[in-house]
Amino acid sequence: MIKLELDENVKSFEGMVGIDDSAPELELQKASIEFSIIGDDEVLWKSGVMHAGEKAKQFKVSLNGVKSLILETDHAGDGITGDRADWVNAKFEAAGSDPVTVKRQREVASILTPVEPKQPVINSPYRYGIRPGSPVLFTLPVSGQRPISFHINNLPGGLTLDTVTGIISGKVINKGTWALNVVAKNSFGTDSCKFIIEAGDKISLTPPMGWNSWNVFGKDIDEKKIKAMADAIVSSGLVNYGYSYINID
């Protein structure tokens, strides 16, 4: 959506609209867009739903007295696959000041979650599935003011716990189920919970939580970007609530 402010001397707006054919062929087959021109909250022109391969449509609308203009493209209810919209040779007839684009006001950032307590709170999924012999790297998700000390009784052989970071690492060679007691403690209090480790054929016993870039980098992906995303999971505190995966899309 593009929003413009006009003065009262802008007389008309004209040009053509159509779907760009630069998308991959399979995406173009699903492309559909409807173009709209809205002046002072009144629809001045609509293209109807257009599909890839159609000829561009011409438009010309009168803007006498219009002060606010919106150029809108809509995915026509079937998603945005292949939807690359073109406004072609678009021009205004104006006797006064040029139309000016209006930037959308950014909403004030706010945190909607409750204030994190200073005492430890274990936000664990309470169950963790691993393959025997596969590397384990699991951070106990615990919120609260650092430093926090961690303790686990009866940790399976092959695994170690970093009592400062709460990271469990190593390998479990044999299949089995271990019921553990996790304790997190700082100067403000203590929290504990039961935690089960299952080594066997079952994995993803709880929904994986993490960050998916959804192709934001395209082909321009490298080690530095991946590390930056991982660092953000830690520095933002999300790792303390169970977010532990980076999806390289």
Side-chain angles (χ1 to χ4, degrees), residues 111 113-114 116 123 142-144 146 209-211 227-246:
I111 297 176
T113 55
E116 182 178 273
N123 306 295
V142 178
S143 56
R146 266 50 181 176
M209 296 170 61
W211 164 252
K227 284 185 175 180
M229 288 191 289
D231 288 342
I233 292 289
V234 176
S235 63
S236 65
L238 287 174
V239 69
N240 300 329
Y241 292 88
Y243 291 84
S244 56
Y245 292 90
I246 298 296

Side-chain angles (χ1 to χ4, degrees), residues 138-142 146 148-152 160-169:
F138 178 76
T139 301
L140 291 170
V142 178
R146 266 50 181 176
I148 294 177
S149 61
F150 299 86
H151 175 75
I152 298 179
T160 59
L161 169 69
D162 187 317
T163 59
V164 176
T165 64
I167 296 176
I168 300 173
S169 59

